[in-house]
């Protein structure tokens, strides 16, 4: 008997979690070796008669099964079955005995080569067997409306830890935290122009198939506005990211999509429609205070803009760290990825720094893989530095040194070598072989942009001076 369809994809959520799990499948439709493109992953369908032990079916790349009759029977569309007369030519069928009779009425050896005898009609009959054109190893299942289909794609329960393989990532960087002597001199290894292991993620299952966490529309950092410390700059990016969190969650609370509730020492943000927790912050943290202020302003009748203003003001009062970057531009970039959902602070950092020319791109790697299926989320790896100048010196200086080798010794995308130069290595660099035209062009453009502003400032101060002495 054919299996019947239990649930459509739209109703799968009605199954108990223990029975439903989170069965997914994937298929490389564009042939790039990854399963992170649009339509390359799907929710599996639960088929069969047992809701507690269904047969899981992947709709991706599925094919209609073919009806096949056992030889020598042939399919009869009129009777919807496989048929063949029991008796050969020059013989007749005797319904009374259910045997074939020869030309002289002698009984013949009468047996069906396949199927069973239908005594009234004298036909050998059988039900057709459904065969998958993708290969007989793939089962044909009733996908509803009497359609028997098969799929070569495998379904797995991605809620099981063993089904998902996550590649580790540290985001490590060298910090100025080594031991010092009484005079303050560093007792450990010194590094010049150290970088940071950075990554951002393009569209995929983890961050969302329509969300590009590497997206950045314009340069927002400049060598003339950043300090010499990479850790200081990263702190600035973190501040911008936190400001964006206040703006994002404050907006969602003010619009009524989210609600913010104090639970003990935590401020919990929940989705009003589903009641599920979205995120939480420490109630006394700068972000927590900002979101709480936006929630209170919204409850008091303030509009969306008023609630956002209250949240941002509270955040600024709780944590106003001067940053070495253009904060307004950084917040804009962070908001781009936050509203896309799924992006984290490391994504924002890498997107900011790479778009500003501070990073060496090292390629991409698979960050998340579904066991037995394939890669469903990629990541792009970088070595990011505190300035464009540092990146240029690394790219052209490393190949000069044996300690890095002719290829620069960058490592690979997942585990890059972003360390700086030791003082001895830095002294060995031949700066005559380093082309700084990219850096000087960048500085020149920055000066050209600032000259009109500087001229206006000078003119304004001269006018103010003369007004004061008149």
């Amino acid at each position: 008997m054919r299996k019947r369809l239990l649930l459509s994809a739209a109703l799968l959520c009605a199954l108990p979690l223990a029975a439903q799990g989170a069965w997914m499948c994937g298929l490389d439709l564009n042939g790039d070796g990854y399963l992170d493109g649009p339509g390359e992953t799907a929710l599996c369908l639960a088929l069969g008669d047992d809701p507690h032990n269904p047969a899981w079916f992947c709709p991706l790349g599925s094919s209609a099964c073919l009806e096949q009759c056992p030889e020598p029977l042939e399919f009869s569309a009129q009777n919807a079955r496989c048929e063949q007369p029991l008796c050969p030519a020059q013989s007749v069928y005797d319904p009374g005995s259910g045997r074939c009779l020869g030309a002289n009425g002698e009984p013949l050896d009468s047996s069906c080569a396949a199927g069973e005898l239908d005594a009234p009609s004298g036909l050998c009959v059988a039900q057709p067997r459904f065969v998958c054109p993708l290969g007989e190893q793939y089962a044909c299942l009733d996908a509803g409306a009497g359609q028997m289909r098969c799929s070569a794609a495998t379904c797995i329960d991605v809620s099981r830890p063993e089904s998902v393989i996550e590649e580790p990532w540290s985001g490590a960087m060298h910090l100025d935290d080594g031991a010092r002597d009484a005079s303050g001199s560093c007792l450990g290894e010194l590094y010049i122009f150290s970088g940071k292991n950075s990554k951002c993620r393009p569209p995929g299952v983890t961050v969302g198939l329509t969300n590009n966490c590497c997206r950045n529309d314009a340069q927002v950092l400049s060598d003339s506005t950043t300090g010499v410390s990479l850790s200081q700059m990263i702190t600035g990016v973190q501040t911008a990211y936190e400001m964006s969190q206040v703006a994002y969650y404050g907006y969602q609370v003010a619009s009524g999509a989210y609600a913010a509730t104090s639970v003990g020492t935590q401020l919990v943000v929940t989705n009003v429609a589903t009641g599920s927790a979205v995120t939480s912050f420490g109630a006394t943290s700068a972000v927590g205070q900002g979101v709480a202020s936006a929630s209170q302003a919204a409850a008091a009748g303030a509009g969306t803009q008023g609630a956002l203003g209250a949240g941002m003001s509270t955040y600024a009062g709780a944590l106003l760290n001067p940053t070495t970057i253009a904060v307004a531009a950084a917040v804009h970039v962070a908001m781009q990825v936050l509203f896309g959902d799924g992006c984290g602070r490391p994504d924002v950092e890498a997107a900011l720094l790479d778009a500003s020319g501070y990073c060496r791109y090292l390629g991409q790697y698979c960050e998340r893989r579904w066991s037995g299926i394939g890669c469903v989320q990629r990541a792009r790896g970088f070595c990011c530095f505190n300035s464009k100048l540092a990146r240029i010196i690394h790219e052209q200086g490393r190949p000069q040194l044996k300690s890095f080798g002719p290829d620069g010794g960058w490592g690979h995308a997942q585990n890059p070598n972003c360390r700086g130069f030791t003082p001895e290595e830095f002294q060995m660099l031949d700066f005559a072989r380093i082309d700084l035209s990219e850096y000087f062009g960048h500085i020149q453009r920055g000066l050209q942009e600032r000259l009109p502003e500087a001229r206006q400032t000078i003119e304004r101060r001269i006018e103010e001076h003369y007004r004061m002495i008149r």
Side-chain angles (χ1 to χ4, degrees):
M1 182 180 68
R2 295 183 183 179
K3 296 180 179 179
R4 60 186 178 86
L5 178 67
L6 286 176
L7 294 171
S8 67
L11 297 179
L12 276 176
C13 59
L15 270 174
L17 183 60
Q20 175 191 346
W23 290 80
M24 302 289 294
C25 61
L27 197 63
D28 182 14
L29 301 177
N30 57 15
D32 66 352
Y34 298 92
L35 309 178
D36 53 6
E40 291 191 325
T41 54
L43 191 66
C44 290
L45 306 179
L47 307 179
D49 298 311
D50 185 356
H52 299 289
N53 187 29
W56 294 100
F57 174 77
C58 179
L60 296 177
S62 65
S63 176
C65 290
L66 305 177
E67 292 178 315
Q68 188 177 80
C69 291
E71 295 181 354
L73 277 62
E74 295 181 356
F75 185 73
S76 169
Q78 179 180 356
N79 297 325
R81 64 183 184 182
C82 302
E83 300 178 345
Q84 186 191 41
L86 171 66
C87 301
Q90 289 81 43
S91 66
V92 295
Y93 175 67
D94 177 20
S97 63
R99 296 175 64 95
C100 298
L101 302 178
N104 298 322
E106 71 278 11
L108 303 177
D109 182 20
S110 304
S111 62
C112 289
E116 298 179 350
L117 175 64
D118 178 51
S121 65
L123 298 174
C124 294
V125 299
Q127 290 298 318
R129 183 171 70 96
F130 287 93
V131 178
C132 179
L134 305 176
E136 292 194 8
Q137 68 270 34
Y138 303 118
C140 291
L141 301 173
D142 188 345
Q147 296 185 7
M148 301 297 290
R149 301 189 66 83
C150 61
S151 174
T154 302
C155 291
I156 65 169
D157 184 358
V158 296
S159 66
R160 295 178 176 273
E162 63 269 20
S163 298
V164 181
I165 303 170
E166 296 273 4
E167 294 296 337
W169 180 80
S170 66
M173 61 182 290
H174 289 286
L175 299 174
D176 186 15
D177 59 356
R180 297 178 182 275
D181 61 18
S183 64
S185 299
C186 180
L187 297 176
E189 185 68 79
L190 289 173
Y191 291 105
I192 301 170
F193 290 145
S194 277
K196 181 180 187 295
N197 175 5
S198 302
K199 72 168 183 178
C200 64
R201 293 167 293 179
V205 166
T206 306
V207 302
L209 297 177
T210 60
N211 187 29
N212 187 356
C213 295
C214 297
R215 177 187 174 188
N216 198 344
D217 294 333
Q219 172 182 317
V220 296
L221 306 180
S222 171
D223 279 17
S224 57
T225 59
T226 54
V228 296
S229 168
L230 178 59
S231 60
Q232 183 182 7
M233 184 174 61
I234 295 301
T235 300
V237 175
Q238 180 177 356
T239 301
Y241 183 74
E242 290 178 354
M243 292 174 68
S244 303
Q245 286 182 303
V246 174
Y248 174 70
Y249 291 111
Y251 175 87
Q252 298 287 16
V253 169
S255 65
Y258 289 175
T261 308
S262 294
V263 180
T265 60
Q266 296 290 307
L267 181 75
V268 180
V269 179
T270 56
N271 186 308
V272 173
T274 64
S276 60
V278 177
T279 189
S280 64
F281 305 100
T284 59
S285 68
V287 177
Q289 292 181 51
V291 175
S293 179
S295 177
Q296 293 165 6
T304 302
Q305 293 299 324
L308 278 177
M312 296 299 286
S313 297
T314 301
Y315 172 85
L319 179 63
L320 185 57
N321 289 335
T323 66
T324 58
I325 63 174
V327 173
V331 170
H332 171 70
V333 173
M335 288 295 291
Q336 280 186 321
V337 294
L338 274 173
F339 273 104
D341 196 15
C343 301
R345 182 165 63 87
D347 296 296
V348 176
E349 290 176 3
L352 275 168
L353 298 173
D354 180 50
S356 301
Y358 289 16
C359 300
R360 166 81 175 193
Y361 176 60
L362 301 176
Q364 62 184 5
Y365 63 94
C366 182
E367 183 190 65
R368 170 175 285 193
R369 182 181 304 276
W370 286 348
S371 179
I373 294 181
C375 182
V376 294
Q377 178 66 63
R378 281 180 274 187
R380 296 173 183 167
F382 304 87
C383 274
C384 293
F385 301 92
N386 71 323
S387 66
K388 182 176 289 187
L389 176 63
R391 188 263 300 167
I392 293 172
I393 292 176
H394 265 278
E395 287 183 337
Q396 299 184 44
R398 283 185 174 214
Q400 298 181 21
L401 303 173
K402 290 183 178 180
S403 52
F404 288 101
D407 63 351
W410 293 98
H412 53 84
Q414 185 179 348
N415 187 26
N417 175 20
C418 302
R419 78 163 177 86
F421 301 105
T422 65
E424 294 77 17
E425 290 171 340
F426 196 74
Q427 290 177 357
M428 294 171 62
L429 293 178
D430 182 0
F431 279 85
R433 295 166 54 191
I434 296 179
D435 181 5
L436 297 177
S437 58
E438 178 187 355
Y439 175 71
F440 290 137
H442 167 70
I443 293 297
Q444 185 176 7
R445 286 192 300 273
L447 289 174
Q448 290 174 346
E449 292 171 358
R450 288 170 176 77
L451 281 176
E453 180 182 348
R455 185 177 62 250
Q456 293 173 5
T457 301
I458 293 171
E459 292 174 352
R460 185 177 68 253
R461 289 182 177 178
I462 292 174
E463 292 175 359
E464 291 174 352
H465 173 74
Y466 276 105
R467 281 200 300 270
M468 292 176 63
I469 63 175
R470 284 176 182 171

